[in-house]
Amino acid sequence: MRAAIEAFDEGADVALLSKIHPVRSHSGAAEGGINAALGNASEDSPEEHAYDTVKGSDYLGDQDAITILCDEAPADVHQLERWGAVFSRTPEGKIAQRPFGAAGAPRTAYAADITGHVLIQVLYEQVMRRDLRVYEEYFAWQLVVDDDRCQGVIAWDLLNGGLKTIGAKTVILATGGAGRLYAGTTNAYACTGDGMAMAFQVGVALEDMEMMQFHPTTLAPTGVLITEGCRGEGAYLLNSENDRFLERYAPNAMELASRDVISRAEQTEIDEGRGVDGNVLLDLRHLGAEKILERLPGTRELAMVFAGIDPIHEPIPVRPGAHYHMGGVDTDVWGRTSLEGLYAAGECACVSVHGANRLGGNALMETITFGKRSGKHAAEWALTNTTIEVPSSVESDAERRLKELLDRTEGERPWSIRNELAETMHVNFGVFRREDQMKRQGDIVAGLRERYERVVVDDKGEIFNNDLTQALELGFLLDLADGMIVAGVARKESRGAHARPDDYPERDDEQFLKHTIVRLDEDGRTRLEWRPVTMTKWEPKERTY
Ligand SMILES: Cc1cc2nc3c(=O)[nH]c(=O)nc-3n(C[C@H](O)[C@H](O)[C@H](O)COP(=O)(O)OP(=O)(O)OC[C@H]3O[C@@H](n4cnc5c(N)ncnc54)[C@H](O)[C@@H]3O)c2cc1C
């Protein structure tokens, strides 16, 4: 939505396409907040924000992109405020900011613990105000590529059925993450990596796909997120011995160390038998009822509804869950991909500002700042280039492929493949990675892809055919899993979210201070390349918290 608004304001003719109603996008679930060095809670600067982000990324983030994010963030947040975002306030009436993991200053602007919900409503209002054309409940399935340019998308019309081709001089993918690759995830059902997979299918490169972030506090048993804002407000993490175990892993930052560090600490406690039914405990009780009710009301509600626990009186059982994809469609700092006319922004893109580990609060900021930038660039390109013409063969090819799938009456239903994928990814490509497990997972995914070739869609109807779209989403997930494993096996070191405790426990800057790039070659195989990290002024150092 931020990209569409910017492109429209630049004078372009814009349409927005979404497989769900835009305000139901996963962004609306973001709780904790959005990072910008406003300096309202203590002294702060974009430079410090950038340093924290570089360090948080385990030095894999591109420093030019990080500098842009941190420099533009304050003005971008003020713009959201002017558009009507109701941020929480300091007593003097400024935008309030809370401490978040691995940040040198309280930098996370928030609206209680419903920040994403507030921002998404504000953006949708701005979309409405401009009377932008919105194709709601259109499922984008394929990119139209002709003449070495991206010229639109082919989408399934969920409400009425049928494939529709939407021609466009430029396309911006903003399709979000792929947490649904994992059995335990904070991500919504819609987060199936569609945009990444669509780009991959047409030969566009994906970057750092092995970097899947595990969030340390996801609620047992559902995987619903318990915001880092809890720890920002002072909550403790305890093991079965009532011990604040982070003293042994991150003695300075404790509960506010970065996410990869805490997830590994938790998993180690659980694996070594100091967990509580496969969890550790997040204790808010000492914060007191008043603070919990004022600052974290949504968290209390989630814990009560989904775990039957009132955090005013009891600690919340939590464990690491798949949360955020640092990797994604390889773009430059204007959101451009290697394919002319195709852009990507938000979680589906890899600019890369998060490198091997994202800091909480930086993802919402990325969607805004790089959404804006890609909207601007895409509009400029569209306004200065010739019209498009989608060849009819592209449409008929898509129709034929879809018909093949829908005509099949015998075979396996998608859900069993999907469950197996999610469960095995969790075990074999989770918080800790081991060579034999990753390779086994590669074989498992290859087997699942074969089975997917014979998948059957039971529902043959036109209206709201979820059976069909879930089958298509499964195809996307399988493509991505393959690329993640190829990249993961090749990265023979431990960096950020990619932790190999047995064979390569250390970071190896000499050999691996570089991005993995995967793309599909002519004969349908995943090819791996490497690209140097863009460094400006921060030399890699040992990362401790
Ligand atoms: C529970 C949770 C809490 C979080 N909290 C925070 C936080 O406090 N701070 C922070 O910075 N980050 C947070 N994050 C991360 C952050 O919210 C996300 O990375 C970010 O919101 C993703 O935004 P997006 O616009 O890229 O994607 P999304 O918000 O997921 O939107 C994707 C859009 O693409 C559409 N789409 C997808 N596929 C298709 C298709 N095939 N056809 C048509 N449309 C399609 C969807 O309909 C949707 O509208 C959180 C994430 C989660 C899961």
Side-chain angles (χ1 to χ4, degrees):
M1 289 197 279
R2 186 63 189 84
I5 292 166
E6 191 71 14
F8 179 87
D9 290 351
E10 289 289 314
D13 176 12
V14 184
L16 189 71
L17 190 143
S18 179
K19 68 179 177 182
I20 49 181
H21 189 285
V23 303
R24 296 186 58 212
S25 305
H26 186 62
S27 293
E31 301 164 20
I34 179 165
N35 290 346
L38 305 173
N40 291 351
S42 76
E43 254 185 54
D44 199 6
S45 67
E47 166 107 11
E48 276 176 66
H49 185 187
Y51 169 69
D52 290 340
T53 305
V54 169
K55 178 181 171 191
S57 80
D58 222 349
Y59 296 90
L60 192 66
D62 284 329
Q63 297 180 6
D64 55 341
I66 291 173
T67 299
I68 290 173
L69 176 77
C70 301
D71 283 351
E72 295 186 10
D76 286 350
V77 165
H78 283 133
Q79 171 150 63
L80 291 168
E81 184 193 30
R82 281 196 299 278
W83 278 342
V86 285
F87 287 109
S88 295
R89 298 279 153 185
T90 64
E92 313 85 69
K94 293 183 189 164
I95 295 177
Q97 295 185 276
R98 59 169 47 130
F100 243 53
R107 186 179 294 136
T108 306
Y110 60 96
D113 54 4
I114 54 163
T115 314
H117 180 75
V118 165
L119 298 185
I120 212 164
Q121 300 290 335
V122 163
L123 289 174
Y124 192 63
E125 279 166 22
Q126 293 298 317
V127 166
M128 291 289 103
R129 184 177 168 204
R130 286 164 178 78
D131 208 12
L132 283 175
R133 178 73 199 260
V134 183
Y135 291 94
E136 264 163 39
E137 295 173 330
Y138 271 66
F139 182 98
W141 180 38
Q142 287 178 23
L143 295 169
V144 175
V145 180
D146 190 48
D147 203 13
D148 291 329
R149 275 173 58 192
C150 181
Q151 308 210 17
V153 294
I154 299 181
W156 171 260
D157 176 351
L158 277 155
L159 226 48
N160 306 298
L163 285 182
K164 306 274 158 71
T165 304
I166 302 174
K169 288 196 231 173
T170 54
V171 172
I172 304 175
L173 297 167
T175 49
R180 285 282 144 188
L181 274 162
Y182 289 84
T185 177
T186 63
N187 284 198
Y189 281 96
C191 300
T192 47
D194 307 10
M196 300 179 200
M198 277 187 272
F200 186 64
Q201 280 294 345
V202 296
V204 171
L206 303 180
E207 181 175 356
D208 295 336
M209 288 301 284
E210 70 278 26
M211 297 302 179
M212 170 62 74
Q213 175 168 78
F214 279 74
H215 193 291
T217 55
T218 76
L219 188 64
T222 54
V224 167
L225 181 81
I226 299 297
T227 176
E228 188 164 318
C230 295
R231 284 171 286 132
E233 299 294 348
Y236 299 151
L237 281 168
L238 305 174
N239 63 14
S240 61
E241 292 157 13
N242 214 26
D243 168 25
R244 272 180 85 187
F245 57 87
L246 283 163
E247 270 159 12
R248 285 180 275 118
Y249 301 87
N252 299 314
M254 294 292 288
E255 280 84 357
L256 287 179
S258 79
R259 290 179 174 172
D260 57 331
V261 172
I262 299 185
S263 285
R264 281 194 293 276
E266 290 181 0
Q267 196 61 50
T268 306
E269 291 296 301
I270 295 167
D271 291 348
E272 291 179 359
R274 291 183 297 278
V276 181
D277 300 332
N279 304 293
V280 294
L281 300 171
L282 182 70
D283 195 353
L284 278 71
R285 289 174 295 186
H286 56 287
L287 302 180
E290 198 182 329
K291 195 166 181 184
I292 294 173
L293 292 173
E294 184 207 322
R295 306 272 180 89
L296 301 162
T299 299
R300 177 170 180 247
E301 193 180 325
L302 289 175
M304 296 204 322
V305 171
F306 290 105
I309 276 174
D310 182 349
I312 292 177
H313 304 294
E314 284 167 279
I316 313 174
V318 294
R319 60 188 171 196
H323 182 56
Y324 183 87
H325 219 143
M326 273 76 73
V329 181
D330 175 24
T331 74
D332 70 3
V333 295
W334 290 102
R336 274 183 295 191
T337 71
S338 55
L339 178 64
E340 188 131 67
L342 183 68
Y343 294 72
E347 189 168 341
C348 77
C350 180
V351 186
S352 105
V353 288
H354 311 299
N357 173 65
R358 172 178 75 88
L359 298 191
N362 270 355
L364 287 180
M365 200 62 250
E366 179 192 18
T367 65
I368 300 296
T369 298
F370 287 97
K372 174 196 72 183
R373 291 173 68 89
S374 46
K376 186 172 163 57
H377 201 284
E380 272 169 19
W381 199 92
L383 290 166
T384 49
N385 281 275
T386 53
T387 51
I388 36 119
E389 211 178 296
V390 179
S392 57
S393 60
V394 172
E395 255 180 295
S396 48
D397 282 354
E399 295 276 5
R400 191 173 32 75
R401 272 188 59 196
L402 191 77
K403 190 169 177 309
E404 247 174 56
L405 173 64
L406 283 174
D407 281 353
R408 204 174 298 144
T409 50
E410 268 168 50
E412 191 173 0
R413 303 258 286 127
W415 66 265
S416 56
I417 301 178
R418 187 155 152 155
N419 287 358
E420 257 183 75
L421 175 68
E423 271 152 30
T424 54
M425 283 298 282
H426 216 96
V427 174
N428 295 327
F429 206 78
V431 173
F432 291 117
R433 284 140 194 211
R434 296 177 170 91
E435 180 102 10
D436 56 332
Q437 283 182 312
M438 287 192 283
K439 289 196 165 145
R440 194 175 331 132
Q441 188 60 15
D443 295 339
I444 291 172
V445 170
L448 294 174
R449 290 177 92 180
E450 252 171 55
R451 278 160 59 186
Y452 181 72
E453 292 299 312
R454 298 182 298 275
V455 83
V456 62
V457 174
D458 259 2
D459 185 350
K460 310 290 179 195
E462 296 280 289
I463 316 291
F464 235 94
N465 191 340
N466 280 332
D467 204 21
L468 171 64
T469 49
Q470 285 182 19
L472 301 180
E473 288 171 346
L474 175 60
F476 291 147
L477 288 173
L478 286 166
D479 280 348
L480 295 182
D482 186 48
M484 289 165 71
I485 295 161
V486 167
V489 171
R491 185 175 288 285
K492 296 190 189 309
E493 64 160 352
S494 289
R495 183 185 299 269
H498 189 64
R500 301 183 60 157
D502 299 345
D503 46 3
Y504 304 100
E506 303 296 331
R507 194 177 81 196
D508 179 355
D509 289 329
E510 220 149 88
Q511 292 196 65
F512 293 104
L513 185 57
K514 50 191 181 184
H515 300 288
T516 58
I517 303 283
V518 291
R519 64 173 97 226
L520 208 58
D521 66 15
E522 315 277 78
D523 40 321
R525 273 202 308 267
T526 305
R527 202 176 66 218
L528 176 80
E529 298 155 22
W530 298 91
R531 158 131 36 86
V533 173
T534 307
M535 314 275 286
T536 55
K537 57 181 167 195
W538 293 282
E539 286 297 321
K541 285 197 282 209
E542 197 197 342
R543 192 163 148 258
T544 53
Y545 287 102

